[in-house]
Amino acid sequence: MATTFRLLSSRCLATAASTSTKALGSRSIGAARHLSYLSQQSQFLHPSSPQHQNRSTRALRPVILRHSSGFSSTHEKVAAPPMVYIAGEEMTHYATQLLVEQWIKPYFDISKWETYDLSCKSRDESEDKVLSDAVEAGKRIGAIFKEPTITPSAIQVQEMGLKKAWGSPNGAMRRGWNGITISRDTIHIEGIELGYKNQVLFERHAVGGEYGAGWNEVGEGTLLTTYIPKDGGAPFVVDKRDLTDKHNVCVVYHNPYDNVRELAHLFFKRCLEHHVTPYIVTKKTVFKWQEGFWATMKKVFDESYKDDFLKAGLLDRSGGDLQHLISDAATMQLIRWTDGGFGMAAHNYDGKFGLLLCDMLTDQIAQVHRSPGFITSNLVGVSDDGSTLIKEFEASHGTVTDLWNDHLAGKETSLNPLGLVEALLGAMTHAAQLEADAKPKEKKVQEMKAFVDNYAKTLREALHNTFRYGQGTRDMCGPTGFTTEDFIAKVAWRLDRYLVKQEHEKEAPPELAEEDLAIPAGKMADFDQKAILKLFEKYDKTGEGKIDFKNFSKMLMKMGVAPTKK
């Protein structure tokens, strides 16, 4: 009883302390608990960045100190399987480094992770060799986590002192990893009503389009796009146009169709798994060449999936068949269909709708669904020999420059890291799956995979409960929400508690048994053992040597030894 009282008292004191600091505001929470990280903040900035150079001018901010892990103090860290870690910059880089330190490193040895710095400075100094190295590593390992990166504009080239405006790394990654599709899905927290009540899935053709376009500024003249067959066939003109304006920009790109069947299989399987209705979105009324995308998707659906969707009742809302939506209609339905429960697959970047879907439309979804932190982004590709799925995970949002500027100015920030965390967990679980598939008979590898899977589930529970308890970031909880640092530390504390509890539950409970009666050996002869056995067998109805409670009660009452209320 005394032990129980001490436990309850300590919990009440902890709750009271938390409540009092919360009432003082999130800076007070930080000041109460976060001191030792101040000397470590420089590791979260790229040493060559202007922000790092000017760090001495920043106001010192308290950062949460993570308590020592009760779990890891008694267990060796689990060796995390190989994974490619692509570092970005600005606010998302800072926040991700914090959560890796507090959520990942206490439980995992991540020495097998290969890290590539794709900050603008690093790409500039390496003449973009770091990007090609990262792509090669992704092909070799197959599991990639990517922080948001900056594709510098002309103004940023001057501000950062770069040699040139380096292109988006995403195009190189999608080509290098034989990209099939990019999946962007809504994230849901049970018990919290967000914009969409049920999940919304997005699929986009991952290669070709404007990302890999060739372009140039030209004057008056004639533009010819000529196709020369690889098999030696006769060349022919795909497009010819006369340019009469004195100043033009000409853009040429293509969209491959070879992997649309693979995209279709991935999309329809995901829709079945998440129990949502599929739709195919194009602008084929205007862009006639998109008809091939729709035709391939429909053929795969009819051949392999229609019966399964009908049995699941997932085509009731779409008229009993796979439905095509013109892009204009699809964008309007996104706002109307707030019950969710649907998936959309679209063509790659092709001007009007492709660009809208992948950038502006995702932002639109995020607004409906409450926050950009509640959307995932996952590139699925395949190894050159087609044997292994390559998966790259990242948050759908960018580097969050506005919060980074506030952070540099010493102001409080409140970044929602949910999208980043889902990406990191996605990469870790895929890496564990690849390792387990490669070594199915190695017990240690299978144990590692089981630990990673359980860890991911537990971290999600800790993360979601923190939101549910009203301790989320300010995009969810308003002005009283936690700061970036406070939120990460609160989840770290909760995660450790959950993992410790799981470990304790694995221990076998102590056996509770009544001590044997202290009957002298000479007195045992006074008892009629045969009569006792006969009495027992009378109430042992099943013959299993067991008496249930009802028969046990009857026996005691008949013998006159049953306890009474007196």
Side-chain angles (χ1 to χ4, degrees):
M1 191 67 185
T3 302
T4 304
F5 177 77
R6 284 197 296 271
L7 269 172
L8 291 174
S9 299
S10 63
R11 287 175 182 173
C12 291
L13 287 172
T15 303
S18 175
T19 303
S20 62
T21 52
K22 189 78 163 64
L24 294 173
S26 54
R27 184 174 291 277
S28 297
I29 298 174
R33 295 177 297 176
H34 306 193
L35 296 175
S36 71
Y37 256 115
L38 289 174
S39 62
Q40 302 176 31
Q41 283 198 37
S42 59
Q43 69 176 303
F44 302 130
L45 302 175
H46 292 291
S48 59
S49 69
Q51 294 92 334
H52 188 281
Q53 306 285 344
N54 298 332
R55 184 176 173 273
S56 59
T57 64
R58 294 172 52 203
L60 290 180
R61 302 186 67 255
V63 184
I64 287 186
L65 172 62
R66 190 188 190 287
H67 70 289
S68 61
S69 168
F71 182 85
S72 60
S73 63
T74 57
H75 290 77
E76 287 186 13
K77 293 182 180 181
V78 173
M83 184 179 90
V84 174
Y85 187 108
I86 295 176
E89 47 200 320
E90 296 195 329
M91 193 65 197
T92 45
H93 174 68
Y94 168 74
T96 308
Q97 295 303 301
L98 279 178
L99 64 87
V100 167
E101 287 292 327
Q102 298 185 42
W103 299 357
I104 306 296
K105 286 187 176 180
Y107 313 104
F108 291 97
D109 171 5
I110 60 173
S111 58
K112 293 181 181 178
W113 288 8
E114 296 186 18
T115 302
Y116 296 86
D117 178 5
L118 288 193
S119 66
C120 289
K121 280 289 185 183
S122 175
R123 294 181 65 188
D124 201 63
E125 290 169 357
S126 69
E127 297 288 341
D128 225 11
K129 185 178 184 301
V130 65
L131 173 58
S132 58
D133 289 345
V135 171
E136 286 303 311
K139 290 173 67 174
R140 174 168 40 85
I141 294 176
I144 306 102
F145 166 73
K146 178 180 176 290
E147 295 176 5
T149 54
I150 293 175
T151 301
S153 65
I155 294 176
Q156 288 173 313
V157 169
Q158 294 180 347
E159 290 176 346
M160 298 181 187
L162 304 177
K163 300 170 186 173
K164 59 182 286 188
W166 300 98
S168 169
N170 295 333
M173 293 174 182
R174 291 164 192 170
R175 291 189 299 271
W177 299 330
N178 301 308
I180 298 170
T181 182
I182 298 168
S183 308
R184 289 188 173 178
D185 308 338
T186 53
I187 301 170
H188 296 259
I189 298 177
E190 187 177 350
I192 295 180
E193 187 171 331
L194 298 169
Y196 292 103
K197 293 181 181 178
N198 298 293
Q199 195 159 34
V200 176
L201 309 184
F202 284 88
E203 215 76 64
R204 173 171 68 88
H205 198 198
V207 290
E210 292 182 359
Y211 261 124
W215 65 277
N216 215 323
E217 294 187 35
V218 298
E220 295 178 276
T222 299
L223 179 70
L224 286 177
T225 304
T226 304
Y227 170 67
I228 303 174
K230 186 177 181 179
D231 61 6
F236 60 88
V237 175
V238 175
D239 182 73
K240 172 184 178 295
R241 62 189 59 219
D242 295 320
L243 307 177
T244 58
D245 295 293
K246 293 181 179 179
H247 190 193
N248 308 276
V249 60
C250 296
V251 182
V252 179
Y253 62 88
H254 76 289
N255 279 286
Y257 276 164
D258 284 353
N259 61 9
V260 174
R261 289 187 63 86
E262 285 83 357
L263 183 155
H265 285 294
L266 286 167
F267 175 59
F268 295 132
K269 286 177 182 177
R270 290 200 328 115
C271 287
L272 282 171
E273 177 187 353
H274 294 277
H275 207 73
V276 303
T277 302
Y279 294 87
I280 309 302
V281 181
T282 75
K283 187 70 173 177
K284 66 189 184 74
T285 51
V286 176
F287 304 133
K288 305 298 184 184
W289 48 268
Q290 289 191 358
E291 185 68 42
F293 180 80
W294 157 249
T296 301
M297 297 291 286
K298 183 69 166 68
K299 184 177 181 181
V300 172
F301 180 81
D302 289 342
E303 289 175 349
S304 306
Y305 297 97
K306 186 173 182 177
D307 290 343
D308 291 333
F309 277 95
L310 285 170
K311 290 176 184 176
L314 294 175
L315 299 182
D316 295 346
R317 67 186 289 174
S318 61
D321 204 349
L322 180 65
Q323 189 176 128
H324 175 271
L325 294 176
I326 297 299
S327 58
D328 309 69
T331 56
M332 289 185 285
Q333 300 297 9
L334 288 174
I335 299 174
R336 294 179 55 211
W337 291 347
T338 53
D339 278 347
F342 64 90
M344 291 184 180
H347 211 278
N348 197 9
Y349 270 56
D350 44 45
K352 183 177 179 180
F353 185 64
L355 180 60
L356 182 64
L357 173 66
C358 302
D359 288 333
M360 296 172 61
L361 186 56
T362 303
D363 292 340
Q364 179 184 350
I365 298 301
Q367 290 302 315
V368 174
H369 202 54
R370 188 70 175 261
S371 168
F374 286 80
I375 306 290
T376 66
S377 186
N378 173 22
L379 168 67
V380 180
V382 66
S383 58
D384 291 338
D385 62 4
S387 63
T388 305
L389 281 182
I390 298 173
K391 292 187 178 182
E392 179 255 346
F393 300 81
E394 60 181 315
S396 67
H397 54 72
T399 57
V400 196
T401 303
D402 55 342
L403 290 188
W404 180 239
N405 291 334
D406 286 344
H407 176 75
L408 293 179
K411 298 178 182 178
E412 289 182 346
T413 64
S414 186
L415 174 73
N416 183 339
L418 193 54
L420 292 167
V421 177
E422 282 297 329
L424 189 54
L425 291 179
M428 290 178 67
T429 53
H430 183 58
Q433 184 66 59
L434 292 177
E435 186 89 344
D437 290 344
K439 303 173 181 177
K441 295 183 179 180
E442 290 193 20
K443 182 180 178 182
K444 197 168 184 178
V445 171
Q446 301 305 318
E447 289 175 346
M448 174 276 297
K449 181 184 181 302
F451 181 86
V452 171
D453 289 343
N454 179 70
Y455 170 85
K457 179 182 177 182
T458 306
L459 176 52
R460 286 190 179 99
E461 182 183 5
L463 189 60
H464 292 184
N465 279 348
T466 303
F467 279 106
R468 278 192 282 259
Y469 295 152
Q471 299 165 337
T473 46
R474 292 173 186 172
D475 59 338
M476 293 291 293
C477 299
T480 61
F482 276 28
T483 62
T484 303
E485 297 84 1
D486 286 335
F487 178 77
I488 290 172
K490 175 58 77 174
V491 174
W493 169 80
R494 185 161 281 124
L495 170 65
D496 197 64
R497 288 182 61 210
Y498 290 175
L499 289 173
V500 167
K501 183 178 179 181
Q502 289 174 4
E503 279 302 301
H504 289 170
E505 288 177 349
K506 289 181 181 179
E507 299 173 3
E511 289 189 14
L512 301 177
E514 186 178 3
E515 293 183 6
D516 290 339
L517 294 174
I519 301 175
K523 289 287 184 179
M524 289 295 293
D526 296 340
F527 295 96
D528 189 341
Q529 296 294 321
K530 290 183 179 180
I532 293 174
L533 177 60
K534 186 176 180 180
L535 180 64
F536 178 85
E537 288 176 342
K538 178 180 178 181
Y539 293 97
D540 177 17
K541 300 296 185 182
T542 63
E544 295 178 349
K546 298 178 181 178
I547 300 177
D548 62 22
F549 178 75
K550 182 178 179 181
N551 287 330
F552 178 70
S553 300
K554 284 182 179 180
M555 185 176 71
L556 292 181
M557 288 186 286
K558 186 168 184 179
M559 293 171 63
V561 294
T564 63
K565 291 184 178 179
K566 291 181 180 181

